[in-house]
Amino acid sequence: MSKVKALIEAVGDSRQRFLKTISQIPEKQAQAKPNADVWNAVEITEHLFWAEQGGLFGMWKVLDALKNGDDSIQKANAPFQGLEIEAIIAQTWQEKELVPAVAAPRLGGTLAFWSASLNSLQGILETLGNELSDSDLHLLAHPHPISGVLDFQQRFEFLRFHIDRHNEQVKQLI
């Protein structure tokens, strides 16, 4: 299996684990907030949707620019080349990091809606993966709002990490 396919599969597996976790939560409980500073399951799921959609959009935009001869992002300073995403997160995130506005939950709604929306991103992820070769993984993608410049591999690793992180958070709400 190619490295790209393995990364796509890892993200998909994380998404399915998350979706399985939230499928066990009744809607009323999914809407409940343990306190004002903690997101409920609906907010977490909405956040994951917006964060992944934005990440996929940014990767696709960079890939399109590269295919059209614009390699300007490749000249960016990339201090984390070769590091796994967990090491990057440990160096760049604060304990209670503020979510970027574009990834913040803002619409509310039902857990069923956000579950279906999050699940719908798998096809977009796979289509993007089909556009990349293993040699493309070390090309620089768009900067992450907190961690900065990452390559495509690190961006895919981030998607997996991010879903897993919030899966653990939801499990604590159950």
Side-chain angles (χ1 to χ4, degrees):
M1 176 185 301
S2 75
K3 182 72 174 176
V4 170
K5 297 291 184 213
L7 289 164
I8 299 299
E9 188 174 295
V11 175
D13 290 348
S14 290
R15 181 184 293 103
Q16 289 309 306
R17 282 191 301 275
F18 178 83
L19 292 171
K20 183 178 179 184
T21 299
I22 62 173
S23 73
Q24 301 169 37
I25 306 172
E27 185 66 35
K28 186 174 181 176
Q29 184 179 354
Q31 297 284 347
K33 292 178 72 77
N35 65 58
D37 296 334
V38 176
W39 287 347
N40 62 34
V42 173
E43 291 167 320
I44 292 167
T45 308
E46 181 183 355
H47 162 67
L48 284 173
F49 171 80
W50 293 124
E52 184 173 345
Q53 182 189 56
L56 293 172
F57 172 76
M59 284 189 278
W60 216 308
K61 192 173 176 181
V62 168
L63 185 60
D64 185 60
L66 288 168
K67 287 182 177 184
N68 288 308
D70 179 2
D71 66 348
S72 58
I73 195 163
Q74 300 309 305
K75 296 170 180 66
N77 180 30
F80 304 119
Q81 278 193 303
L83 291 180
E84 291 184 5
I85 198 62
E86 288 81 1
I88 298 168
I89 298 295
Q91 291 181 40
T92 58
W93 285 34
Q94 305 298 315
E95 187 170 325
K96 286 218 168 213
E97 198 61 66
L98 294 177
V99 65
V102 298
R106 54 193 173 274
L107 299 180
T110 66
L111 188 59
F113 174 81
W114 290 112
S115 296
S117 298
L118 182 62
N119 195 41
S120 74
L121 294 175
Q122 184 64 28
I124 298 168
L125 175 68
E126 290 171 0
T127 304
L128 174 62
N130 290 336
E131 298 292 318
L132 292 165
S133 68
D134 285 358
S135 62
D136 293 330
L137 289 173
H138 296 292
L139 294 171
L140 299 181
H142 63 297
H144 182 273
I146 298 169
S147 296
V149 177
L150 303 174
D151 63 27
F152 279 91
Q153 179 171 328
Q154 292 162 333
R155 272 303 202 155
F156 288 126
E157 289 174 349
F158 177 78
L159 293 175
R160 180 224 7 108
F161 168 87
H162 191 232
I163 295 168
D164 288 345
R165 179 176 181 265
H166 284 297
N167 192 31
E168 291 305 312
Q169 185 181 11
V170 168
K171 286 178 180 179
Q172 292 176 6
L173 294 173
I174 299 177

